Amino acid sequence: MEGLMMDYQLTVPSLMRRAEQIYGAREVVSRLPDRSLHRYRFRDFVRRTKQLALALRRMGIRPGDRVATLSWNHYAHLEAYFGVPSVEAVLHTINLRLPVDDIVYIADHAEDRILLVDEALLQLFEQVRERTHFEKVIVLQATRPVPEGMLDYEELIAAEDPQTFVYPDIAERSAAAMSYTSGTTGRPKGVLYSHRALVLHSLGLGLAESVGLTGRDTVMPVVPMFHVNAWGLPFACVMLGAKLVLPGPHLDPASLIDLLAGEKVTFTAGVPTIWLGILQALDKATERPDLSVLRTMLVGGAAAPPSMIAAFEKRHGLRVVHAWGMTETTPLGTVSNLPLELDGAPDEEQMRSRARQGVSMPLVEIRARGESGIVPWDGMTPGELELRGPWVASSYYRSDEQGDRFTADGWFRTGDIVTIDATGSVQIQDRIKDVIKSGGEWISSVLLENALMAHPSVAEAAVVAVADPKWQERPLACVVLREGESATGEELREFLAPQFPKWWLPEEYAFLPAIPKTSAGKFLKSALRAQFNRPNEV
Ligand code: ADP
């Protein structure tokens, strides 16, 4: 028997109608390239989004067409987030930190028809201009006449009357947005987010069991809007009426702290490297910025070192919430909140639990597969994490590399090696390609890194496999020392010794001025492996 409920379609326009009717007075604050702050209200945002939608239609954009952005976090990019899906087109946020060849590849692969590009990024665009095939290029935030052959966004939308825009009826399963994986292995692969997935993911962000966003929050996504929809925060904030603070191109600790304090941010999100920088800046600050209303710093994309979580809490009274996700999972998959059972447990135990990647979001199911099948949830047996849920990809866009990532029974294989404990809390041991295989056993690079970063002299640490004639692979620790601090390899080894089996301990330590980072600000271990594994040794 069929249920008798409406088949209401979960679409991006449904979020916008609500924003317009209920949250018109809520604010969006953006830092511009010249460092000044731009402010407007949701009602202005919705109006301009409709104007963009009309302009796109006038330029011949049809349902299913791809419209690309090359843009930092700011109000005009937000307008594209909503304006493009409002005409059933697909927003393709190009990761501007990708190598130029990859940008050319993904623009071509996605068959993007139109590009919206920041004036501040025109130089980057010039590097790919000759090799890409956009029919039209529209410049955002132009402060001077736009280059020959391009259009000025402000002029374009000013010509449209927002009153004439009517939202089309959109089927919730149609594509609204797309992101490419950063291609740390092989070519980037395209993930197509449906309207339905974006809406359900937004609802997920509003659950108190995940991160509990509400309309009382002021949210600053430091995670770029060109990286997995800025973790879905723009969609969730518009759905819930939360004030948005968008930091533009200025991602240095001082600029971010200034916005956190000045705009009274309650919720912020980004990768660990951003927070490691902020932690050092706060530690050094002579005058404490007022961050008293900041309730959550959501950290994910790479493992948040437990020492960092503890340092923020103990030294600055700030709460880090650790989460895990991927481009293929929209991205939120697991969140680490303290389980009820650990209320009142000793600090250390609570911290150990919170430093894990946490429990899957409601509607997301997980399991892990080891060499002999699905592993028990015993917190010990490692396996590759698989998941399924309404915001998990079911396949890649036009790719030959599907086979090994999606199981026959409909789960997505993450490529992450995890253990899952009896409460369902996940701990990432490594990515399959980063795990160190020493004498047939696995050493977790992530656990060694976290332990090293707990040393008072260490700012950053990445551990990679180097070829070894006897053990096949051994761990090599690449270490960045804090300013003015010193430590030797011998000291670091002694520091690690009580925490790990002897055969886990790296013999080699390389002291570097910086760890190379990926386009998303994660440690670029492939570069370190290439640097320290000379070809004749591999
Ligand atoms: P990529 O890193 O390939 O550019 P993603 O941004 O999709 O693309 O990264 C997803 C990967 O990042 C996950 O598979 C996992 O390895 C890693 N990751 C994400 N969050 C965490 C976390 N909290 N702890 C450890 N690893 C994480």
Side-chain angles (χ1 to χ4, degrees):
M1 186 192 278
E2 276 216 355
L4 294 175
M5 287 292 127
M6 289 183 186
D7 193 16
Y8 180 86
Q9 299 293 291
L10 309 178
T11 65
V12 169
S14 65
L15 310 185
M16 289 185 63
R17 282 194 290 267
R18 178 178 173 83
E20 183 173 21
Q21 286 161 351
I22 303 176
Y23 305 126
R26 303 288 160 90
E27 235 188 333
V28 180
V29 181
S30 310
R31 171 97 75 191
L32 303 183
D34 69 2
R35 307 191 68 85
S36 63
L37 294 180
H38 169 282
R39 291 171 192 278
Y40 71 4
R41 302 207 175 258
F42 273 27
R43 65 173 74 89
D44 308 306
F45 151 70
V46 174
R47 173 176 46 80
R48 287 167 53 89
T49 298
K50 289 180 179 175
Q51 289 173 299
L52 169 61
L54 288 164
L56 290 171
R57 263 201 202 137
R58 192 183 298 279
M59 288 186 293
I61 289 295
R62 300 274 161 264
D65 286 350
R66 269 76 69 202
V67 175
T69 57
L70 204 51
S71 184
W72 294 107
N73 293 12
H74 54 68
Y75 63 95
H77 203 178
L78 186 71
E79 289 156 16
Y81 259 57
F82 288 83
V84 174
S86 288
V87 290
E88 295 187 71
V90 183
L91 174 84
H92 173 203
T93 48
I94 296 180
N95 180 342
L96 57 91
R97 295 205 185 108
L98 284 178
V100 165
D101 281 351
D102 280 349
I103 294 182
V104 171
Y105 171 80
I106 66 175
D108 188 49
H109 188 265
E111 297 175 288
D112 297 326
R113 289 189 58 194
I114 290 183
L115 174 71
L116 304 173
V117 54
D118 286 5
E119 184 185 73
L121 291 167
L122 279 174
Q123 247 183 334
L124 170 65
F125 174 61
E126 283 305 328
Q127 296 177 42
V128 298
R129 187 173 188 175
E130 293 296 307
R131 297 164 61 200
T132 46
H133 309 97
F134 302 106
E135 291 164 31
K136 292 203 164 61
V137 176
I138 301 165
V139 182
L140 306 176
Q141 299 186 327
T143 57
R144 45 180 191 271
V146 302
E148 184 74 27
M150 299 186 193
L151 300 165
D152 182 327
Y153 178 76
E154 293 301 327
E155 284 173 15
L156 192 77
I157 66 169
E160 304 294 339
D161 175 6
Q163 310 279 5
T164 62
F165 184 71
V166 181
Y167 292 109
D169 284 331
I170 298 176
E172 64 180 14
R173 286 187 166 72
S174 53
M178 75 189 303
S179 275
Y180 279 75
T181 61
S182 348
T184 24
T185 50
R187 283 292 200 183
K189 293 190 280 295
V191 176
L192 271 176
Y193 307 106
S194 60
H195 282 261
R196 175 184 152 86
L198 294 176
V199 170
L200 288 171
H201 185 265
S202 303
L203 275 178
L205 287 169
L207 295 172
E209 275 302 300
S210 70
V211 295
L213 276 187
T214 79
R216 288 175 181 273
D217 277 309
T218 294
V219 178
M220 181 165 88
V222 180
V223 49
M225 290 170 75
F226 55 75
H227 199 76
V228 214
N229 313 317
W231 296 354
L233 291 167
F235 294 111
C237 289
V238 168
M239 169 192 260
L240 300 165
K243 172 177 165 182
L244 266 163
V245 178
L246 302 170
H250 301 289
L251 301 178
D252 57 288
S255 302
L256 294 175
I257 292 171
D258 180 63
L259 277 180
L260 289 171
E263 296 303 319
K264 299 193 167 32
V265 170
T266 63
F267 185 104
T268 179
V271 292
T273 41
I274 292 278
W275 307 119
L276 286 167
I278 288 192
L279 180 62
Q280 287 201 45
L282 289 178
D283 283 347
K284 274 197 286 193
T286 42
E287 229 176 279
R288 276 192 166 230
D290 179 5
L291 302 180
S292 52
V293 295
L294 182 56
R295 70 169 174 93
T296 296
M297 303 163 79
L298 188 64
V299 181
S307 53
M308 180 187 89
I309 303 179
F312 269 116
E313 201 141 304
K314 297 216 170 89
R315 300 209 285 272
H316 305 286
L318 293 173
R319 188 169 181 84
V320 169
V321 174
H322 193 194
W324 171 96
M326 300 180 75
T327 307
E328 292 88 334
T329 64
T330 312
L332 232 58
T334 69
V335 181
S336 196
N337 289 307
L338 190 70
L340 175 67
E341 292 72 18
L342 290 186
D343 275 1
D347 274 5
E348 246 173 57
E349 200 180 336
Q350 294 198 357
M351 196 54 75
R352 256 203 309 279
S353 163
R354 287 182 39 214
R356 298 171 70 89
Q357 279 70 15
V359 172
S360 65
M361 305 262 289
L363 302 182
V364 173
E365 291 183 51
I366 58 165
R367 68 186 186 190
R369 185 190 296 277
E371 268 163 19
S372 41
I374 301 300
V375 304
W377 289 16
D378 58 6
M380 282 161 51
T381 318
E384 180 182 359
L385 179 66
E386 299 182 352
L387 33 77
R388 63 176 182 182
W391 53 83
V392 180
S394 61
S395 64
Y396 292 112
Y397 174 63
R398 283 181 40 215
S399 167
D400 303 331
E401 294 176 56
Q402 317 270 6
D404 58 342
R405 298 303 296 273
F406 301 92
T407 69
D409 61 344
W411 294 65
F412 167 66
R413 295 179 57 190
T414 61
D416 283 346
I417 303 296
V418 303
T419 55
I420 307 177
D421 73 12
T423 67
S425 173
V426 170
Q427 186 172 36
I428 304 275
Q429 308 291 317
D430 239 318
R431 298 188 96 166
I432 284 184
K433 58 184 191 301
D434 291 336
V435 76
I436 300 155
K437 297 168 200 99
S438 176
E441 298 288 341
W442 286 2
I443 297 176
S444 160
S445 63
V446 174
L447 295 186
L448 287 172
E449 286 159 9
N450 283 342
L452 282 166
M453 286 190 270
H455 187 283
S457 301
V458 175
E460 289 183 341
V463 178
V464 295
V466 283
D468 183 271
K470 181 160 175 209
W471 303 106
Q472 284 162 314
E473 289 181 354
R474 288 296 301 154
L476 167 113
C478 303
V479 176
V480 180
L481 293 174
R482 282 172 176 269
E483 242 177 79
E485 298 286 339
S486 64
T488 62
E490 198 47 45
E491 279 164 30
L492 293 178
R493 194 177 147 89
E494 268 167 36
F495 178 74
L496 294 177
Q499 308 176 52
F500 297 100
K502 195 150 177 268
W503 60 274
W504 274 49
L505 303 178
E507 289 82 23
E508 283 191 73
Y509 295 78
F511 292 90
L512 307 179
I515 306 277
K517 308 265 168 36
T518 71
S519 57
K522 307 180 192 186
F523 295 155
L524 186 57
K525 294 196 188 170
S526 55
L528 293 173
R529 276 194 292 266
Q531 183 179 346
F532 291 102
N533 281 290
R534 280 187 299 279
N536 59 357
E537 290 176 358
V538 183

